[in-house]
Amino acid sequence: MRLLLLEDTIELGEVIDNQMTDEGHAVDWVQTIGQAKAALASTEYDLILLDLMLPDGHGIDLLKALRHSGDSTAVIILTAKDQISDRIKGLNAGADDYLVKPFDLSELSARVGAVARRYAGNPNPTIKLADLTVDLNNHQVTRAGGEIQLTAREWALLEAFLQRPGMLLSKVQLEDHLYAFGAEIESNTIEVYVSRLRKKLGKELIETVRGLGYRMKTS
């Protein structure tokens, strides 16, 4: 997924950035509301990890502005404010989940996955795809009980298709899903990873629509 991380504490931001990147997500990490607004104006994100107490304002105000404008991007609040009233305020402002600092990184990963599945319309962590079984929680693909090893990038690409079953995705959309802002991308990167997925999962699984992009078959 393409994630926007808004966190002004350097040490925590680095840890979260590394954790999410290691799991195959593309992360844009910003430290102020102003930077977040600029990123949101130019990029479509799958999920926002939102701190509340920021140098140039309050994260709740940014969340309210997003929801007021009709932006439905998933949001998980990350904050040290642990009062029930604070949680209620965040959820009522439009957050999808609320995680109190300090938190375990594995719990953050689980909540990111759960929110992403809800937005994709299928909260079930296990998906059947042709003769494949995809375990979204453990980032695992099996066929006839045998595991198929995927790299982080290959998993991220598969996840992009699984979140939009049957939809045509352009090369640019797939690049945005896999890479953070400023990352160097070779011109044939998507073609390479699609080819690798086809070899591992089945050549008929991903359809090429010439000149437009790719589509994962759902049956």
Side-chain angles (χ1 to χ4, degrees):
M1 291 190 297
R2 185 71 177 268
L3 308 181
L4 177 63
L5 169 62
L6 177 49
E7 171 59 62
D8 67 320
T9 302
I10 301 299
E11 294 81 3
L12 180 58
E14 288 178 345
V15 168
I16 295 173
D17 188 359
N18 290 336
Q19 173 78 5
M20 295 294 103
T21 300
D22 287 346
E23 293 182 359
H25 302 300
V27 182
D28 293 333
W29 174 25
V30 298
Q31 299 171 32
T32 68
I33 290 177
Q35 292 171 345
K37 288 180 177 179
L40 288 164
S42 62
T43 305
E44 182 178 346
Y45 292 96
D46 298 297
L47 187 144
I48 301 169
L49 299 175
L50 177 65
D51 188 18
L52 294 185
M53 306 304 295
L54 296 156
D56 57 343
H58 201 292
I60 287 289
D61 294 330
L62 174 61
L63 176 57
K64 288 180 177 178
L66 287 175
R67 295 302 188 238
H68 182 72
S69 69
D71 191 318
S72 60
T73 305
V75 174
I76 298 177
I77 289 176
L78 310 177
T79 181
K81 297 171 74 63
D82 61 354
Q83 298 296 313
I84 293 296
S85 59
D86 293 319
R87 299 189 192 197
I88 292 173
K89 186 181 297 183
L91 294 171
N92 283 343
D96 298 273
D97 206 346
Y98 194 108
L99 196 54
V100 176
K101 302 173 185 177
F103 48 79
D104 188 273
L105 289 174
S106 60
E107 181 179 5
L108 173 61
S109 296
R111 290 177 183 251
V112 166
V115 169
R117 290 195 301 273
R118 290 202 299 271
Y119 268 73
N122 183 7
N124 192 336
T126 302
I127 294 175
K128 293 293 293 183
L129 190 64
D131 61 344
L132 302 170
T133 299
V134 183
D135 183 339
L136 297 172
N137 281 346
N138 297 308
H139 290 193
Q140 186 179 62
V141 181
T142 57
R143 176 186 284 123
E147 183 176 355
I148 300 171
Q149 297 290 338
L150 298 182
T151 66
R153 291 291 187 207
E154 290 166 356
W155 174 264
L157 183 61
L158 174 60
E159 185 183 54
F161 285 117
L162 292 174
Q163 288 179 345
R164 301 162 180 83
M167 288 183 58
L168 178 64
L169 299 177
S170 69
K171 181 179 175 180
V172 172
Q173 286 177 304
L174 293 171
E175 287 174 345
D176 284 346
H177 194 91
L178 265 64
Y179 293 95
F181 180 75
E184 293 187 10
I185 308 172
E186 297 290 338
S187 61
N188 67 335
T189 293
I190 297 301
E191 289 88 344
V192 169
Y193 283 115
V194 167
S195 176
R196 291 178 183 177
L197 277 184
R198 283 172 171 157
K199 288 179 180 179
K200 292 183 178 183
L201 306 183
K203 63 180 181 180
E204 302 299 329
L205 191 64
I206 300 173
E207 175 189 6
T208 298
V209 181
R210 189 171 298 277
L212 296 176
Y214 301 91
R215 179 189 293 116
M216 175 167 281
K217 296 182 179 180
T218 57
S219 61

